Amino acid sequence: MESTYPFREEILAKLRKPEVCPQRAMLLTESYQETEGQPAILRRAKGFARILEQMEICIEPWQIVVGNFASKPFRTSVFPEYSWQWIIDEMETLSEREGDKFIVTEEVKEKLLQLSWWKGRSVQDKVMALLPEETKEQLESGAISSGLITSGIGQYLPGYEKVLQLGIHGLKKDISGRMTALNLSNPEDFPKRIFYDSLLIVCDAVIRFSKRYADLAMEMSKEESSLERKKELLTIARVCRRVPAEPASDFHEVVQSFWFLHLLAYMEIDGAAISAGRLDQCLHPYFRKDIGSGLLSRERAKRILGSLWINFNQILTFYPEKTTSIWAGYPMTQQPSLGGIDRDGRDATNELSALLLEVEGETRLPQPDIAILHHPGIERGFFKKACLLLPQAMKPKFFNVPLAMEHLRKKGVHESEAFNISNLGCVTAAVSGVSWGPTNYGFINLAKCLELALNNGQDPLRDRKIGPETGTAPHLLTFESLYEAYCRQVEYTIRQLVIIAHALETVHRESLPLPYASLMVDDCIVKGRDVNSGGARYNIPGIQAVGLSTAADSLYALKRIVFEKRTASLVEFNEALKRNFEGDGRLFRLIEEAPKYGNDTEEVDLLLRQIGEHFCKEVRTHRSVRGFPFLPALYSISAHAGMGQSVGATPDGRKAREPLADGISPGQGRCLQGPTAAIKSVARINHLAALNGTLLNMKFTAEVINNPDKLGKFMALIDAFMELGGYHVQFNIIDTALLKEAQKFPEKHPDLLVRVAAYVAQFAILPKKLQDDIIARSEFGI
Amino acid sequence: MKGLIASIQRFSLQDGPGIRTTIFLKGCPLRCKWCSNPETQDPKPQLSFKRSPCLREDCDLCVRVCRDRAFIKTKNGISIDPEQCSLCGDCFRECPEMNLWRVGQEWRADELLTEVLKDEIFYKHSGGGVTLSGGEPLLQQELCVQLLKGCKEHHLHTVIDTSAAVDWESIEAVKDFTDLFYVDLKHVDDDIHRRYAGGSNQPILENIRRMAKEFHQEKVAIRIPFIPGVNNDEKSIEGIASFIKSLDTPCPVHLLPYHRLGERKYGLLGLKYGMEDIHPPAPEEIKRGLDLYHKFEIEISPVL
């Protein structure tokens, strides 16, 4: 399929090596220097206002929908309030490192050096100062990881619908009304005044930000020689003068307003995975009205949406080198959710749902990711169209609506709202504008926990005690005692991550209130409380497990070989693991013969289910500082590759430092019975217990979609997966041979897109380790 | 009773409607040179490599442990001499790479039924079911009858993929439990048929004629392999077409273009592939074949 967007190649080229823009960081630092001593939320609001008022702006030729993340599109902004040290340390290597390269000019480097003002003031500095030694040890050993120590909290779903309808003026009116009603002598009301003041500062700054774009468009129209573009710029000026201040009144306005609201969420916090919600539902009334009155053509709507789609790609993650080894490809994971059901349970697919798929088919850029809300009554034509996109874009991914509704009910969402599912973050079901996470405080490395259980709490790779003493191998005489030891290690490790989450919540609550996010998430305004202090209606802080099937296959191999067949001892096993199986042909063979998860073998699948349930149950026993239970999820995004580096050889036959199995997917290359068997295994997991979601990756050859006879069978596979109780599935529909060739000759395949995890990226720019991981995943052909 | 099964393939998309589980039964009365499942021809179990050459280049443990001298060392690695092998199992028990296996496992009909029922939900969503293939499944008539009966008790759609080189009684025995017969038709010239398929076509043509007469027309589909140098010329096609037209009821006809996906398996089993010089037909060549069938008024669809 040819792209109808002439800018596609240019944009992909820019995305291969974007620039660092220091303006946000400089403006914020300046403002913070001036507001020293004021309440944190006020400083935050003023800093944000300074950025919106003074950061350079521009409008590119492809933009009909305007508004940039940095001074120019495809530059990244810097968030020193979260972390800064690494930026100074890695400044010289940013443009040459393996994953996610950035250009930094000498002039920019000079500016970035000033970030050292944040010493002791950034989240990272404050959190690290609060962490006990044993927690740091676990971090160092890779038993746990948390991206939030160096970057901000994203993973939320702003309440776009409300603001699109009310406009920022509507919010201001509401806030002002509440302020007037405050009784300042009342101790509960007094802090609310500061909160509301901050929100109003942000509201005004947002309005001014859009007006700056209106003025710029107006000015540019005077110089513009193309009549068509001149007209376009005048329209942009008109639209930006109205929204998001006023309620959107037509399709162009609603898309522009949405983009501002979405972009601003990213400009406030250095966080990934701020979701776009049910875009087809949210925009449809405006689309219908304008199409009906003849104001809008389908083609025009597509052009506006195309511009929005490109804009999604200008918001880039900016991570330290260590992080990019696992999170490469500028993985911002912005994600609209399409389809689903309406209030009465009927299929909610509309003409815009399909139109958005067309826009994706024509742009084919890494962002945004797309979620399809699958349910038994899904409109088949739309479902088919969604599948046909896969070989081109590796999107969309599919979610099980009835199961997601169960998740929502269990998370306390009212029955009347449960139908209104969007996907939040990577794979979490949420209702837009009412939930606050973060859904991803970090990851628990289950394979590492097993390694610790086999070594009495000692990390064999670093030769340090990092876990509790749960018994040495000669003393673990039954499988039950080994399993028990493993569980104790997992529980201990979860506690360490909970401690990190506590430190993060404490620091975020005290020094990083979020006035803009608080505008976008109910019930912050009603309660007069910031999101980071528990203002949201639903709080869904999350903790993830990584290496589920590595741990399960390993435990199963031990159970069978050591405790049932008694063909090798645990001590023998441990020694073989230390030697990375060098010269252990016999043992390796015994392991090979043991059934593995992913082949519809009940005994091993049920052990995996048990491990998953233990993790989920354990996570839920802990409460966050804000007072809400932590929620479990079973996904790894791409942490399985990075965390695998910290784990020696495992009893499932995996060699030392190789990637762990991803999400809930079977181990790489382990599915020998085909996709139906893999799906049966995966469906044996308790998807309901993983309240923040599960993630399954599957890889098929392109033939399965491109052959019309087979497409229907592929769709049936997804239908069956959902009926079996699977929650989420995403695909790489690409021939492994092509990936291997693209790895060898990247210049021949510069724009090849692959699904890395909960995001899609250009294959050519991924670090080799991630490329290898994608190549190694089991491929299902026909 | 037990039957001998070469392999079971789940998520099979080519052997009938929907997502299917295909059971490959061992043993075949024919020896078609283009056969892509050589491991199903012999009605007895066989030794086979899983991949060749073996990943362990420097290992010859299989050669050393073999009491039958059934391994031959060549410059391209080690290969099996099926004539010598008594299937004692020493080699596959010892192989550190687990690169040897016994093709042909014994299964009871109820065990097979349990296996195929694992994917019941996928059949339901895709309109799929179970296909018995081979080899010639009807050589193991009793197993087929029991298994198909079981499938029908569970309302599974059933297909038999047959060479029709069997007694009519075998077809008769399974017909009440079979939703669809895929019948292979290779050539109408008996000399050519004998030369390339290793047996006469007379019982085959007779069985097809009778199936077309006695069975519901939707119950039979004729599948013609499209083999360069064997049946891709105008004369062969005209002959096949006129046979099909002479049948009492018109059946759907499928064209299966020759491919070499099975070639590798000959080497693994220690057998010789007899079609070395034949190349799979290009898309234009397939189109030419289809056009010829159309010219002779046969409605035909390719299975790609």
Side-chain angles (χ1 to χ4, degrees), chain A residues 482-503:
Chain A
L482 170 65
Y483 184 70
E484 195 60 25
Y486 158 80
C487 289
R488 294 295 83 76
Q489 296 291 345
V490 172
E491 288 151 19
Y492 177 83
T493 299
I494 290 174
R495 283 200 295 278
Q496 302 315 308
L497 188 51
V498 164
I499 290 168
I500 294 176
H502 288 343

Side-chain angles (χ1 to χ4, degrees), chain A residues 163-224:
Chain A
V163 191
L164 293 174
Q165 280 164 24
L166 295 177
I168 299 287
H169 279 313
L171 293 185
K172 276 184 72 177
K173 209 173 139 199
D174 181 27
I175 296 165
S176 305
R178 288 176 195 279
M179 268 179 99
T180 330
L182 292 178
N183 172 3
L184 291 186
S185 63
N186 180 336
E188 274 141 31
D189 277 7
F190 188 82
K192 288 185 186 172
R193 184 190 160 119
I194 304 168
F195 174 73
Y196 288 139
D197 261 336
S198 313
L199 264 53
L200 288 177
I201 290 173
V202 168
C203 284
D204 289 335
V206 168
I207 294 169
R208 281 198 295 277
F209 185 59
S210 67
K211 297 261 154 81
R212 288 177 68 204
Y213 277 96
D215 293 343
L216 176 62
M218 183 60 91
E219 220 172 281
M220 284 171 72
S221 75
K222 290 177 194 151
E223 310 286 314
E224 178 61 50

Side-chain angles (χ1 to χ4, degrees), chain A residues 154-160 162-163 171 195 199 265 268-269 274 424 431-437 514-532 534-540:
Chain A
Q155 309 151 40
Y156 84 102
L157 179 51
Y160 302 109
K162 185 180 97 175
V163 191
L171 293 185
F195 174 73
L199 264 53
E268 183 185 40
I269 41 183
I274 298 174
L424 179 155
V431 175
S432 99
V434 289
S435 314
W436 186 249
L514 298 171
Y516 179 78
S518 298
L519 277 174
M520 300 302 288
V521 176
D522 289 343
D523 302 318
C524 294
I525 295 177
V526 175
K527 290 186 193 163
R529 200 187 305 157
D530 177 64
V531 279
N532 273 340
R537 190 176 310 158
Y538 308 111
N539 283 268
I540 49 173

Side-chain angles (χ1 to χ4, degrees), chain A residues 232-479:
Chain A
E232 190 89 86
L233 285 163
L234 287 171
T235 309
I236 293 170
R238 172 185 64 77
V239 168
C240 291
R241 226 168 274 297
R242 278 192 41 88
V243 293
E246 306 295 333
S249 68
D250 66 23
F251 187 70
H252 191 156
E253 283 184 16
V254 78
V255 177
Q256 177 64 64
S257 192
F258 166 82
W259 174 246
F260 274 134
L261 298 175
H262 182 74
L263 173 72
L264 289 160
Y266 274 105
M267 290 173 79
E268 183 185 40
I269 41 183
D270 174 29
I274 298 174
S275 304
R278 298 182 76 182
L279 209 51
D280 56 345
Q281 306 302 313
C282 162
L283 303 181
H284 187 250
Y286 304 86
F287 175 79
R288 203 52 272 163
K289 183 170 80 72
D290 288 6
I291 291 270
S293 67
L295 274 176
L296 182 73
S297 68
R298 221 171 160 273
E299 276 320 297
R300 173 75 184 158
K302 259 171 98 171
R303 286 196 55 215
I304 295 172
L305 292 168
S307 178
L308 170 68
W309 241 238
I310 298 176
N311 273 329
F312 278 122
N313 288 278
Q314 58 153 312
I315 304 180
L316 305 171
T317 52
F318 182 44
Y319 289 150
E321 184 169 351
K322 193 175 166 208
T323 316
T324 59
S325 71
I326 18 177
W327 308 90
Y330 313 102
M332 210 33 117
T333 309
Q334 306 161 72
Q335 179 172 205
S337 302
L338 308 180
I341 59 173
D342 67 12
R343 197 172 288 281
D344 303 316
R346 289 175 306 216
D347 181 60
T349 311
N350 60 44
E351 50 215 308
L352 209 50
S353 325
L355 194 75
L356 288 168
L357 292 181
E358 279 175 39
V359 170
E360 171 60 36
E362 289 168 20
T363 47
R364 280 179 289 124
L365 294 165
Q367 296 287 328
D369 204 353
I370 298 174
I372 299 292
L373 303 169
H374 180 283
H375 62 103
I378 188 171
E379 208 264 305
R380 302 306 286 183
F382 169 67
F383 183 22
K384 185 174 170 184
K385 217 168 175 170
C387 291
L388 281 169
L389 253 187
L390 280 166
Q392 310 283 336
M394 306 302 150
K395 310 171 204 173
K397 48 195 185 188
F398 299 87
F399 288 88
N400 183 342
V401 169
L403 193 71
M405 287 173 74
E406 282 298 307
H407 281 166
L408 288 181
R409 290 181 190 111
K410 282 197 155 198
K411 287 190 266 199
V413 171
H414 192 265
E415 186 57 37
S416 64
E417 286 182 302
F419 79 95
N420 200 14
I421 295 157
S422 295
N423 190 57
L424 179 155
C426 295
V427 292
T428 302
V431 175
S432 99
V434 289
S435 314
W436 186 249
T439 52
N440 187 7
Y441 267 123
F443 299 98
I444 300 293
N445 187 340
L446 297 182
K448 189 77 192 174
C449 292
L450 178 61
E451 188 176 51
L452 294 173
L454 290 170
N455 291 283
N456 197 22
Q458 184 89 1
D459 177 3
L461 267 57
R462 294 174 66 239
D463 226 2
R464 291 171 101 104
K465 186 75 74 181
I466 64 156
E469 294 188 355
T470 46
T472 55
H475 294 100
L476 300 169
L477 296 174
T478 61
F479 177 69

Side-chain angles (χ1 to χ4, degrees), chain B:
Chain B
M1 73 153 287
K2 289 187 173 186
L4 200 64
I5 306 301
S7 63
I8 300 173
Q9 191 193 340
R10 294 167 75 171
F11 193 64
S12 161
L13 302 186
Q14 317 257 38
D15 301 320
I19 296 171
R20 312 189 71 79
T21 297
T22 302
I23 300 177
F24 293 92
L25 289 87
K26 248 174 106 51
C28 186
L30 301 179
R31 287 292 179 274
C32 305
K33 288 194 188 307
W34 54 84
C35 180
S36 59
N37 296 323
E39 77 283 11
T40 62
Q41 292 176 348
D42 193 328
K44 298 189 301 297
Q46 277 161 288
L47 180 68
S48 175
F49 280 113
K50 288 182 187 167
R51 58 182 109 70
S52 180
C54 184
L55 290 181
R56 293 190 187 227
E57 285 170 18
D58 52 348
C59 168
D60 63 352
L61 196 62
C62 49
V63 184
R64 285 188 280 125
V65 299
C66 181
R67 48 182 113 156
D68 302 326
R69 300 184 178 202
F71 289 97
I72 307 158
K73 261 179 138 173
T74 69
K75 59 178 188 309
N76 297 324
I78 297 165
S79 67
I80 295 167
D81 180 354
E83 299 295 318
Q84 302 301 322
C85 174
S86 66
L87 267 180
C88 67
D90 285 350
C91 58
F92 51 81
R93 274 189 293 273
E94 291 293 330
C95 175
E97 203 50 46
M98 295 207 297
N99 194 25
L100 284 155
W101 67 304
R102 172 194 154 112
V103 187
Q105 305 290 331
E106 292 190 337
W107 287 74
R108 286 197 318 267
D110 61 312
E111 292 167 335
L112 288 168
L113 184 63
T114 306
E115 188 64 22
V116 300
L117 283 172
K118 286 181 175 173
D119 277 355
E120 196 175 2
I121 191 166
F122 301 98
Y123 312 149
K124 183 186 87 176
H125 280 284
S126 65
V130 177
T131 298
L132 304 190
S133 183
E136 172 49 62
L138 292 176
L139 289 186
Q140 301 187 50
Q141 182 188 318
E142 192 46 39
L143 182 82
C144 289
V145 170
Q146 286 182 17
L147 174 56
L148 291 167
K149 257 191 199 169
C151 288
K152 289 326 280 179
E153 278 162 19
H154 288 88
H155 310 289
L156 304 185
H157 181 272
T158 54
V159 171
I160 284 204
D161 189 358
T162 177
S163 67
V166 291
D167 295 337
W168 174 255
E169 288 63 40
S170 303
I171 297 172
E172 184 81 22
V174 294
K175 78 166 199 304
D176 291 341
F177 321 109
T178 304
D179 293 302
L180 180 60
F181 286 91
Y182 277 161
V183 195
D184 263 24
L185 174 56
K186 285 123 186 158
H187 215 291
V188 290
D189 182 307
D190 200 28
D191 286 340
I192 297 177
H193 198 278
R194 282 171 190 275
R195 192 175 334 139
Y196 287 102
S200 167
N201 66 4
Q202 289 312 302
I204 298 173
L205 299 179
E206 187 46 40
N207 282 332
I208 295 178
R209 200 175 287 290
R210 202 162 160 191
M211 288 165 95
K213 188 173 168 188
E214 296 182 18
F215 295 173
H216 191 273
Q217 67 180 71
E218 282 169 18
K219 201 164 172 154
V220 184
I222 295 173
R223 305 196 119 187
I224 306 169
F226 184 64
I227 317 292
V230 178
N231 67 3
N232 68 337
D233 57 297
E234 184 158 353
K235 187 161 167 255
S236 300
I237 290 173
E238 186 176 13
I240 295 171
S242 73
F243 172 78
I244 293 172
K245 274 192 291 184
S246 74
L247 298 175
D248 284 359
T249 40
C251 308
V253 185
H254 303 156
L255 192 77
L256 281 62
Y258 168 67
H259 62 73
R260 299 177 69 134
L261 299 177
E263 181 183 357
R264 193 182 46 89
K265 294 196 266 185
Y266 285 84
L268 299 174
L269 291 157
L271 301 174
K272 195 173 155 19
Y273 188 56
M275 302 273 285
E276 297 258 273
D277 309 328
I278 310 294
H279 296 290
E284 314 79 73
E285 166 63 7
I286 297 171
K287 187 174 176 300
R288 188 191 62 84
L290 292 168
D291 287 347
L292 278 173
Y293 277 101
H294 292 150
K295 180 178 155 193
F296 298 115
E297 299 166 333
I298 299 295
E299 280 216 37
I300 189 163
S301 52
V303 178
L304 298 174

Side-chain angles (χ1 to χ4, degrees), chain A residues 20-86:
Chain A
V20 174
C21 166
Q23 293 192 16
R24 183 194 178 281
M26 295 300 113
L27 292 165
L28 185 83
T29 309
E30 250 172 57
S31 171
Y32 261 72
Q33 286 165 347
E34 290 165 19
T35 56
E36 195 105 57
Q38 298 182 21
I41 190 160
L42 216 49
R43 299 182 77 187
R44 204 71 203 137
K46 288 176 180 172
F48 193 46
R50 174 80 55 104
I51 296 163
L52 299 187
E53 281 156 12
Q54 296 189 17
M55 194 169 77
E56 278 170 44
I57 60 168
C58 73
I59 297 173
E60 298 278 303
W62 52 267
Q63 285 182 309
I64 305 173
V65 176
V66 301
N68 302 330
F69 182 56
S71 54
K72 272 196 168 166
F74 312 106
R75 286 182 182 172
T76 193
S77 272
V78 177
F79 294 75
E81 70 271 38
Y82 291 92
S83 62
W84 58 275
Q85 182 77 54
W86 68 270

